[in-house]
Structures are given as C-alpha cells and as structure tokens.
Amino acid sequence: MDGVPRVPGQRRSVSPAETAAPAETADPAETAAPAETAALRFGVLGPVRAWRGDEPLATGSPQQRALLAALLLREGRTATAAELIDALWGEQPPPRALAALRTYASRLRKVLGAGVLVSESGGYAVRGPDDGALDLSAARDLATEAEKARGAGDLGHAREALRRALALWDGEALAGVPGPHARAQRVRLEEWRLQLLETRLDMDLEQGCHAEAVSELTALTAAHPLRERLRELLMLALYRSGRQAEALAVYADTRRLLAEELGVDPCPELQELQRRVLRADPDLAEVPGPVERPAPAPVRPAQLPATVPDFTGRAAFVRELSEVLGAASGDGSRVMALSAVAGIGGVGKTTLAVHVAHQARSAFPDGQLYVDLQGTGARPAEPETVLGAFLRALGTADSAIPDSLQERAALYRSVLDGRRVLVLLDNARDAAQVRPLLPGGAGCAALVTSRVRLAGLAGAHLVDLDVMAPEEALALFTRIVGEERVAAEREAALDVVAACGFLPLAIRVAASRLAARRTWAVAVLAAKLADERSRLDELRAGDLAVKATFELGYGQLEPAQARAFRLLGLADGPDISLAAAAAVLDLPAEETEDLLESLVDTSLLESAAPGRYRYHDLVRLYARACAERDERTPGERAAALSRLLDFYLATAAGVYAIERPGDRLVDHLAPTAYPGLAFPDRHAAQDWLYAEAHVLLACVQQSARGPALARAVDLLWAAKDLAESGANAKQYEVVALALRAAAQRAGDPGVLSRALTTLTNVHLVAGRFREADEQARLAMELARTAGDPAPHCWAANDRGIIALYEGRNAEGEGYLRQAIESFRADENLAGEASALCNLSRIHLAMGQVTSAVELARRGIAIYDRLGHALRGANGRYALGLALTGQGRLDDAVERLNEALEVFRDSRQRLWEGMTLFRLAEARLAGREPAGAAALAEQALAVLRGIGGEWRRGNVLTVLGRALGALGQTGRARACWQEALTTFDRLGSPEAADVRLLLSPAAVA
C-alpha cells in the first residue's frame, strides 16, 4: 500500500479463495447510481472522511473506513484482494475476510456513487476524484510547489505553500482506523508532517523570523524531545535572536537527554552547530485522474482536436480554467475567454486549451465547437465564414443560413440558446474577430487562445501563460525521449531544456529530434544547442520549427515595430528600461513606449515591470538574427548599441557628480553623443544606479571591444559604487576582469590604466591588498605613459591606503603626498580631500595623533564646502578614528555616528560595516564592552559577503576583546583563534597582536 512517504505493503500467504476476484454482481449500485453533480472530496489527514460538495458522507464502520483509506492511499491504482485483507487484518484475518471485504466495498459504492469504487483485475480501486480531491494529494502538491518555489529563491511563496499543506492536517492522520497498514501509514504520515514543519521553520529562519520561531520550536521540542532537527532549529533561532547562552543550554540539555534515554551522543549536525555557536560563526546568521462523470448523451458536434498524449504540467492553469468553465454550466454563468498574451508563440496555448476543453466535455453535453482562426497568418479566418461552418455543425440547413455577418451571429446565438456548448476559438487575431463568435446565453462557454491579450473582450477571464517551470520542462522532455536516456544524462537534459528557454514547442522539437536518433547521447544535442548562433536552426524537427513560429508574429509587424524588435534584441542584460530603450531606438520616450507596448501585445516582448521590458531567450536570438538579416547596414546595429552605452555613461556620470560634487573625474570621462537622465537628488540617483546595476554591467561587458572599449571602462569607473554595495560586487569584479583583458589586447595604455584602477578598487573592497597594490602600481606607470592624470591620482591614493593596511606607513605617506600634489595639479578638490583623510589615518598609525586630527578636519572642510555628503562621511570616519586615538571618545562616537548615518543612507555596506567596527573600538576604549560586542556583531552581519577576510579578522579581534571584558573568555578565545587563522593565512602583521591575546598571560 502506498502513502507519503511511499512504503511497500506487507505480504502474506492467502488461500486461493481469498485471492479470487471480487464478485462483479455484489451490488446494483455499481450500475445504477443516481447522477451526482457535486465533486467528491476525501480526507485521510485526520479521520477518514468523504464529502460530496460540502455535504459529509457516511463512511461506515472502522473496518469500512480502513478499506476506503487503503484504496485512497493507492491514489487510483488497483489493490488486490490479498493486499487489502493484509492491510485490514494483518497476519490473522477472520475466516470470512473476503466476504467481509466485498460487503464493505458494496456499501462504499452506494455512498460514493457510480464509477468511483471499481472492481478490476481481482481487486478494487478508487477512480475519478479530481486532482486535489484527496487532502493528502493536495498536501503533496503544495509541498512540491513549496520545494520548487524554494529552489527558485521565492521563500515567501514556499512558506505559504507549506503553511497551507500543514493546515490540511486535522489531528492524527487515519484517526480511529484499525489495521496494520493504517498503523504504519500513521507513523509515516506523522513523520512527513514533522518534516514539512521542520522545512517551514527552516525557511522561517532563512527569512529572519527568528524570534517568532522560538516559541513554536520550544513547544515542538517539548512534544518531541528526542527529535534532534527540532533542537537544532531551536538552537539556531536562539542564536540568531542574540540568545547564545540559551542556544548552548539547549545543546547541553539535548546531550544529557540523549545520553539518559538512548545512550548516544547528539548527531554530528547538532555537534557542529554547537561548535559554530561557540565560535560565533557568522554564517549562522545568514538568513521558497479527473472525476468520472455520467456518460454524456450522444452529441453533435464534437469538433475538439485530439489532446496530446504526453501533456505535462500546467496543473494550476488547468485547475483555474476548469473552474471557470465548470461555472458556465450553472445558472448565472458567463462567457469565459482565455488569452495567453504572456505566452509567446510556442508556449503551449492551444495544447493547454484543448486539454482543458477535453476535461470539461462532460459539462457541455450539447457539443463542442472548434475553429483555428488563423490569427497569425496572412489571411485570418473571416467571422461570417466561421459562423456558417458552426451553424451547419449545429444542424442548421444551408438554406436557412443567412448571408450577412450580423444575421448569422444572431441565428448562431439563437441556436445555442438553452444548450450547453463549449466553443474553442484557437489562434485569434484580435477581439474584433472573436466577438461575433461568442455564445450569448448561460450554459455555454468560449475558450479563446491568442498571442494578443484580449482585454477588449468584456467579462473575459484573462490568463497569461508563461514558459514551463524547469521541472515541468524536464518532465515533458523525459516523456518524449524516454526515462532511461534522460536518467543516464540528467545534467545534459537540463542543459537542453534550459537552452530551449523552457518553451514547450522548443522542448518538443528538441526531444523529437533526439527520440528519432537513438545513437545520439543527450549531451550531443546539448552541445549543438549551446551555440547561440545556430540554436534556432537546430530547433527544427519535421514540420515543427521554433523559428517559423516566431516568423509568423514578426511578419505581421509594422515597419517601426519591426525595427524596434530587431534593435532592442541586440542589447545584453536581463531586461531594459524605457529610457534605455529610447536611447537604442533614438526616439522620444512616449513614442518608444507605444512601440514597446504594441510588441507586448503581440507576445514578442514581455513587460517585466512597469517601464521595463524583456525578451524570452529564444525570441532574443531570433530578434538578433532578424537584425543581421534585415538591417540595411551593420552600422545601424553598432549605432544603436553605441547610443545605449552613451546613455548609461552619461547617466552614471551624472550620478557620480551628484554623489561626489567637486570630483573632477567626470571631466576626464569620455564624451558622449547621447544624453543621460537627470535626477532631482542623490536618493533618486542612487535608486537608478542600483536598479540598473545588472543591465548597466551587461552593457559594459558587451561593449568591451572595438572603439567602445574606452567608454565601457569609463562607465565601469563612474559606477564604482556598485563595487562597494555588496549585492553587485561579484558581477562588477567579473566585468572589471573582462575589461582588463580587453584593454590588454587593445594595447592602449590610457584605457588599460583606467581598467586597472577599477580593478584596484575591486581588490581593495575584497581585502586582497597585494593584488590591489600590483594593479595600482601598473595603473600609475601606464597613466604616466599616457599622460592621463585621473588614474595616476587615484592609483597613488589607493596605494597609500593599501600601504596603511599592510603596515607600510612611511611608504604610504609618500604615496599620499604624491596623490595630494597630483590632485591639486588637476584642481580636483574632492580627490585632495580624500588623500588628506587617508593621510590622517597614516599619521594616526604612526602615532602622530594631533596631525591626524588636523588632516582629517582639513579634508572634511573641503568636502563640506563642496557639499559632498558621501565622501564627507569618509572624512568623519577618519576623524572619528583620530579622536579615538586622542582619547576624545564622545567626540569620536559622534563623528562616527554621523558617518554611519550617511553610509546607510547611501547603501554603502562596506563602509557601514567598517564604521560599526570603529564604533565598537571606541566603545571598548570607553570601557563599554557590552555595547562594543553588540556593535561588533552588527559589523560582522553587515560585512557578510563583502570586505574580505582581513576586515573580518579585525572585527573578530575586537569582538573577542569585548567578550573577554564581559567574562566570556571561552567565546573570546574562539573569536581570536578564528582571527589568528585568518591573519596567518593572509600573512597579515595583525597576527602577532592576536597571538598575544591568546597567550596564557594575557588571558590570566
């Protein structure tokens, strides 16, 4: 017998009489049940129950409920008489067990109605309930949905799906049901429930709901004291709530309980968690078959095309459309229309509609009409022609069919009045083509597919069909190719469906090619599809071709639409904003928006969000192929991308100027021919920069060749805030490395010096000081060769701060004085202020505290005069350090808090985390270890994933000192030991100081 988790049934020897097929004439109810209209529902996650609609059904005695439960858990598969007897009575069945089984089955047939409990193959099965009619199936679907959502990163959706799944339990599963099978299933279903609960709680913690989870976990661990996973989650929730001592106490209690009750130690995972809690591991803080209906009377017409035998997935859409179609059969029903505008050509609109229509046939016993309206063809079907065909199919004589469209439509509605007919209008061009074909009365329904969103159909229920989920796509591929071949090369199969963009038509074409070539490995097809240049040509099998589907839509575009479609496809990046698209097309924003929205209406473009647009991957490839084929000269394609690069560079330069008033870098950037956006304030500028981060960096990487390289490098430099924000740091680094390689190939010393300057900043942010110094050294040399002051100034400034970090203070002072002179020669006051503040830190490290305070104040004065809020915060950061060194702790804390506010407001995670660290140092110097520890913990949380190991090691050192002052010497030593390991690995001079802290004398 099967349930969740699936387990095999127990077997035993039975007599031949017991294994005989159930009597087929046991009850006349099998052949003469009353017609039922309401759907059946069943429950096993609690007492075994059944409902018809909202009316509960009497499921009989405990043994009869045990039979129903055993069959429901088979989920439509047949159970033999021997298996059922074994399930109900185990090894010692009563003498007349088979007769009793037949009696229970007969009684259940009377309750459930005809065609539900069926006899076949020497056994019984429950057939017919819709998907989700069994609460266990619904719970499994929700759990699968949660798993998919979690895999896609949508934890909110995943948590909600698991919450709904768990809410289906109504007490103990199979409550009151006797028999060994029920007992085994109860245990397994309870285990599954606890697993789901643990998963949901795990996601609660991932989303930061630590405090909320503590109370629930406390109750659960009390109810299940030996369940170590719950103990582990409770420890983690307490730790993330800042209650480390309690977390460790949970471990101690668990270890004692396991030793007393089972004589074992905690599991390795729990032991590891305890160790990680003890050493304050920062990673711990890291935080989704149909009901059988009475046979319809013979009807005419029955025009639906055959449904595909390998229809896969789309369960939510099938349910949604089936519910709306089902409502059409009752009083007060309305016409329903389906529009798949979000689904491009090949997304499976017709396949879905035909499948749903077949499932709904029994609700429309008076017939089903179908027509392909040829909406994507050169000659769409004329409504009067379609109406003539429909009227003839409905039994109207040719002589009675009028000539005009209006008269035919009126007669069509009259013929359908009082009848229950489903009309499937496939491939509609627009709403005007559809309106005359819609039934007019209750009881009928129309299901419409179109590449255009038919918002003009009043009262229509609109559905946007997207590409398949990865799991659905792989399942469709597997059904066509075969389980054995896919199982042997699962990764290659995933590559194939991904290359198909999860588009059903593309998957079907690719799978059909592979199925027809038995000697091909899946990896062969994956390799062919990996080449974007030939991918569309490879997606062809027989008369099926993805490119041909796209050609139908492209061929209907007006010239301006076609140009927009081609040129926008040239740009890399996940999507594109309206303003950027206007730059590509060289058109006003209003005209651009009209064109883009018209492309959305034709399904060749998707609206990712208000003001943002994107292509499906295969449609983008097709658009680029059209650009190469149809643009008159290659120069137009290059000009479009050049305008896009100009737009981003001009706008990013504007953001840089707002963030850093007085900084002359913007005067040294390459000139642009296309204007950028203007912003009312720095907050709006920052919002744009971070919103456009992915597409801006994609534009930079795409432009890393030819004459655009210099502008691409300047754009990356102007967008340097992205390197310090944390969220975009990795992508920024990848692009910076690509630009360096491109500049090296180009052999232009000026461009290469600028590329190296951006890469220096990347390494500085990541704490890779040796690499940063080498890039800065080369940048200075090349800048001198090229006579370019901007990279020379900033590289010298960077080398000064790198020398500070590495303890080479005298050398660093030399670099910074050189930077000050260079900035002054360039009349770059903001750069001069930066070098002064950095020199302040060098003097502080050299013990020249008074000079350090004075230099920082000079830098701040320049920043304030320029209105430079962000870098003024860097000046206040430097002054806070100097004041701390001078012992003026209150003033130091005030300056650092001022800096912290600006860094947070500017989304500068690196500097936010470092300022928290410096505040911790100041609090510790003021003998406030508790406050220092809290600030250090905050710094560790903020710096997670940015700043590098060296900065983390410094924070851990201060945290350990604060904890030591609080008497938590064990945890303090754990922090210092981790810091020492880091410093030793990096070869940092700070390792010596940490060794002193770890020495017995220091601890004593």
Side-chain angles (χ1 to χ4, degrees):
M1 313 307 294
D2 288 351
V4 175
R6 299 189 182 277
V7 293
Q10 296 177 328
R11 301 271 182 174
R12 66 174 181 85
S13 298
V14 293
S15 68
E18 289 177 311
T19 58
E24 297 300 326
T25 58
D27 199 297
E30 278 189 285
T31 56
E36 308 289 356
T37 57
L40 283 170
R41 293 185 295 115
F42 297 96
V44 294
L45 301 179
V48 176
R49 292 172 290 189
W51 298 265
R52 188 174 299 283
D54 293 328
E55 179 183 354
L57 302 179
T59 52
S61 66
Q63 292 288 2
Q64 189 169 307
R65 292 199 304 276
L67 171 61
L68 178 59
L71 293 174
L72 289 172
L73 292 174
R74 299 283 293 193
E75 298 185 79
R77 289 173 292 111
T78 302
T80 67
E83 288 175 323
L84 291 170
I85 290 171
D86 190 53
L88 268 64
W89 291 287
E91 296 295 333
Q92 296 181 332
R96 295 183 55 80
L98 183 59
L101 184 68
R102 290 171 175 167
T103 300
Y104 298 148
S106 176
R107 291 172 181 170
L108 285 172
R109 282 197 189 94
K110 292 179 181 179
V111 173
L112 301 179
V116 179
L117 197 157
V118 297
S119 306
E120 63 178 27
S121 303
Y124 296 100
V126 170
R127 298 281 169 78
D130 292 320
D131 291 341
L134 177 63
D135 57 1
L136 177 57
S137 298
R140 186 187 296 118
D141 290 343
L142 287 166
T144 301
E145 180 182 335
E147 184 178 355
K148 293 177 181 177
R150 189 179 192 184
D154 190 354
L155 288 181
H157 183 183
R159 290 172 67 203
E160 174 60 20
L162 281 186
R163 185 197 65 75
R164 289 165 54 202
L166 289 164
L168 293 174
W169 264 265
D170 185 14
E172 182 182 48
L174 306 175
V177 175
H181 180 257
R183 285 193 297 272
Q185 290 299 312
R186 263 194 295 275
V187 172
R188 286 160 177 79
L189 289 172
E190 175 61 11
E191 172 63 23
W192 185 50
R193 185 186 73 85
L194 288 172
Q195 290 173 2
L196 294 180
L197 190 55
E198 288 168 349
T199 302
R200 197 218 75 211
L201 285 163
D202 192 21
M203 287 189 286
D204 288 349
L205 299 189
E206 286 186 46
Q207 288 212 311
C209 302
H210 317 128
E212 298 88 337
V214 168
S215 59
E216 184 176 2
L217 283 163
T218 300
L220 285 169
T221 52
H224 306 277
L226 297 177
R227 197 170 183 90
E228 292 177 85
R229 177 57 177 155
L230 290 175
R231 297 275 185 161
E232 183 181 349
L233 290 170
L234 177 56
M235 285 181 65
L236 189 57
L238 287 167
Y239 176 76
R240 289 183 177 174
S241 301
R243 298 156 67 178
Q244 184 193 25
E246 292 178 67
L248 293 172
V250 169
Y251 178 82
D253 291 342
T254 305
R255 183 173 60 180
R256 174 185 51 78
L257 183 64
L258 291 172
E260 292 175 354
E261 297 289 333
L262 304 176
V264 298
D265 290 329
C267 65
E269 293 82 3
L270 207 55
Q271 294 181 42
E272 174 62 17
L273 178 59
Q274 186 243 9
R275 287 191 288 269
R276 295 176 70 189
V277 169
L278 282 172
R279 68 173 182 263
D281 187 341
D283 290 341
L284 285 180
E286 291 285 354
V287 197
V291 173
E292 187 174 309
R293 306 176 191 274
V299 295
R300 180 171 176 79
Q303 297 183 341
L304 294 178
T307 187
V308 295
D310 50 18
F311 182 86
T312 304
R314 306 299 200 187
F317 290 109
V318 171
R319 283 195 298 270
E320 179 181 353
L321 295 173
S322 298
E323 289 172 2
V324 178
L325 285 178
S329 61
D331 294 337
S333 61
R334 61 184 176 85
V335 172
M336 190 283 293
L338 164 67
S339 169
V341 65
I344 59 176
V347 81
K349 301 180 293 294
T350 299
T351 302
L352 173 65
V354 169
H355 181 79
V356 169
H358 273 283
Q359 286 200 335
R361 286 182 61 179
S362 61
F364 300 95
D366 296 321
Q368 306 89 40
L369 296 168
Y370 171 82
V371 64
D372 180 358
L373 293 173
Q374 300 290 321
T376 56
R379 299 180 61 184
E382 296 293 340
E384 53 265 41
T385 303
V386 175
L387 285 170
F390 278 179
L391 287 168
R392 281 187 288 272
L394 291 165
T396 305
D398 283 349
S399 59
I401 298 175
D403 293 331
S404 72
L405 172 62
Q406 290 77 13
E407 288 177 315
R408 288 188 177 190
L411 178 60
Y412 170 67
R413 292 191 294 271
S414 298
V415 171
L416 289 179
D417 185 49
R419 303 175 73 173
R420 292 163 60 188
V421 174
L422 172 63
V423 183
L424 176 48
L425 306 173
D426 191 21
N427 195 16
R429 182 180 183 88
D430 52 31
Q433 187 188 31
V434 168
R435 287 192 190 97
L437 309 178
L438 297 178
C444 293
L447 190 58
V448 186
T449 75
S450 174
R451 294 193 186 188
V452 179
R453 199 166 199 271
L454 300 178
L457 288 181
H461 176 82
L462 302 180
V463 173
D464 294 333
L465 188 62
D466 204 347
V467 297
M468 297 182 112
E471 295 81 2
E472 291 180 335
L474 184 61
L476 174 60
F477 185 79
T478 302
R479 294 188 70 172
I480 298 172
V481 173
E483 180 71 35
E484 184 177 350
R485 294 177 77 182
V486 173
E489 297 181 84
R490 179 178 172 82
E491 291 302 319
L494 289 170
D495 290 340
V496 169
V497 297
C500 292
F502 309 111
L503 188 71
L505 175 62
I507 295 166
R508 186 173 294 281
V509 170
S512 298
R513 287 194 69 194
L514 193 61
R517 293 162 174 81
R518 301 301 301 176
T519 59
W520 277 21
V522 181
V524 171
L525 180 60
K528 289 178 176 291
L529 295 178
D531 186 352
E532 291 187 350
R533 294 168 299 179
S534 60
R535 185 177 299 169
L536 287 175
D537 294 328
E538 293 289 344
L539 290 173
R540 177 186 297 274
D543 61 350
L544 290 178
V546 174
K547 184 185 289 186
T549 299
F550 297 156
E551 286 279 6
L552 290 173
Y554 178 68
Q556 294 183 347
L557 299 179
E558 298 293 332
Q561 293 175 310
R563 174 180 178 270
F565 173 74
R566 295 191 300 267
L567 293 183
L568 289 176
L570 297 173
D572 285 348
D575 59 8
I576 192 168
S577 68
L578 176 60
V584 172
L585 302 179
D586 198 18
L587 293 173
E590 296 80 4
E591 187 175 345
T592 300
E593 184 173 23
D594 290 342
L595 282 173
L596 268 56
E597 287 298 326
S598 70
L599 290 175
V600 171
D601 289 339
T602 62
S603 300
L604 289 172
L605 194 65
E606 300 175 18
S607 178
R612 302 198 74 86
Y613 301 88
R614 68 184 175 208
Y615 286 94
H616 181 274
D617 290 345
L618 293 179
V619 177
R620 183 194 298 276
L621 295 179
Y622 176 70
R624 290 181 175 180
C626 290
E628 293 178 4
R629 181 189 68 191
D630 298 343
E631 287 300 329
R632 285 169 292 186
T633 63
E636 175 60 16
R637 301 197 301 271
L641 292 175
S642 180
R643 288 191 297 271
L644 180 64
L645 178 59
D646 274 357
F647 165 76
Y648 281 130
L649 176 54
T651 307
V655 174
Y656 189 97
I658 291 176
E659 286 281 357
R660 299 167 175 81
D663 191 328
R664 290 204 62 232
L665 173 63
V666 293
D667 299 323
H668 293 292
L669 298 177
T672 58
Y674 194 92
L677 299 174
F679 303 102
D681 53 50
R682 70 184 185 89
H683 293 99
Q686 287 171 354
D687 289 342
W688 178 88
L689 181 63
Y690 291 113
E692 293 290 322
H694 292 297
V695 287
L696 183 151
L697 293 173
C699 178
V700 172
Q701 191 157 10
Q702 185 177 18
S703 305
R705 52 186 175 269
L709 176 59
R711 284 179 291 155
V713 171
D714 282 358
L715 173 54
L716 190 65
W717 196 355
K720 65 179 294 185
D721 281 350
L722 297 178
E724 300 179 7
S725 68
N728 310 107
K730 184 59 180 177
Q731 186 183 2
Y732 189 99
E733 179 177 354
V734 170
V735 175
L737 289 167
L739 288 188
R740 181 184 66 179
Q744 287 170 336
R745 289 192 298 271
D748 185 325
V751 173
L752 181 55
S753 68
R754 294 182 175 219
L756 292 171
T757 302
T758 65
L759 196 53
T760 297
N761 190 47
V762 167
H763 289 312
L764 261 174
V765 170
R768 299 189 291 264
F769 302 130
R770 292 176 185 171
E771 294 90 335
D773 192 53
E774 176 61 18
Q775 302 305 304
R777 181 188 65 80
L778 292 172
M780 287 182 69
E781 293 176 359
L782 290 166
R784 277 195 295 268
T785 301
D788 190 349
H792 185 272
C793 295
W794 287 107
N797 193 39
D798 289 339
R799 295 201 76 186
I801 201 67
I802 293 167
L804 167 68
Y805 291 152
E806 293 189 332
R808 298 180 283 112
N809 297 323
E811 189 178 342
E813 182 177 18
Y815 289 132
L816 290 170
R817 292 198 181 280
Q818 183 179 353
I820 291 171
E821 292 176 7
S822 297
F823 281 127
R824 285 174 178 167
D826 192 41
E827 298 181 354
N828 191 336
L829 289 174
E832 179 185 347
S834 175
L836 286 170
C837 292
N838 288 336
L839 185 58
S840 166
R841 296 180 60 184
I842 288 277
H843 281 205
L844 178 63
M846 298 171 72
Q848 302 172 25
V849 180
T850 302
S851 174
V853 171
E854 176 59 26
L855 286 166
R857 283 179 171 157
R858 285 169 57 190
I860 291 172
I862 295 175
Y863 281 137
D864 289 350
R865 188 163 68 250
L866 295 173
H868 204 321
L870 177 57
R871 292 311 167 201
N874 286 109
R876 285 165 175 79
Y877 174 90
L879 180 57
L881 300 188
L883 291 171
T884 301
Q886 206 173 45
R888 298 165 57 184
L889 300 179
D890 290 341
D891 290 341
V893 167
E894 186 174 353
R895 298 291 83 75
L896 288 170
N897 276 322
E898 290 171 356
L900 180 63
E901 183 178 355
V902 175
F903 289 140
R904 282 176 171 164
D905 190 50
S906 301
R907 308 178 207 181
Q908 293 291 309
R909 274 183 52 206
L910 173 64
W911 287 106
E912 178 189 349
M914 290 307 297
T915 306
L916 288 166
F917 162 59
R918 299 303 186 182
L919 281 166
E921 286 186 319
R923 293 294 187 193
L924 191 59
R927 299 182 179 180
E928 299 179 49
L935 286 163
E937 288 284 11
Q938 291 179 51
L940 288 172
V942 172
L943 291 173
R944 187 180 306 120
I946 191 171
E949 293 182 314
W950 178 79
R951 291 184 176 93
R952 174 176 170 76
N954 281 307
V955 179
L956 284 170
T957 303
V958 170
L959 176 59
R961 290 171 56 203
L963 293 172
L966 291 170
Q968 299 182 29
T969 55
R971 188 176 167 200
R973 290 183 62 83
C975 292
W976 292 331
Q977 189 60 57
E978 184 181 351
L980 178 61
T981 301
T982 296
F983 291 142
D984 280 342
R985 184 167 58 251
L986 297 176
S988 301
E990 290 83 359
D993 294 333
V994 178
R995 280 195 177 85
L996 288 175
L997 291 171
L998 284 166
S999 67
V1003 175

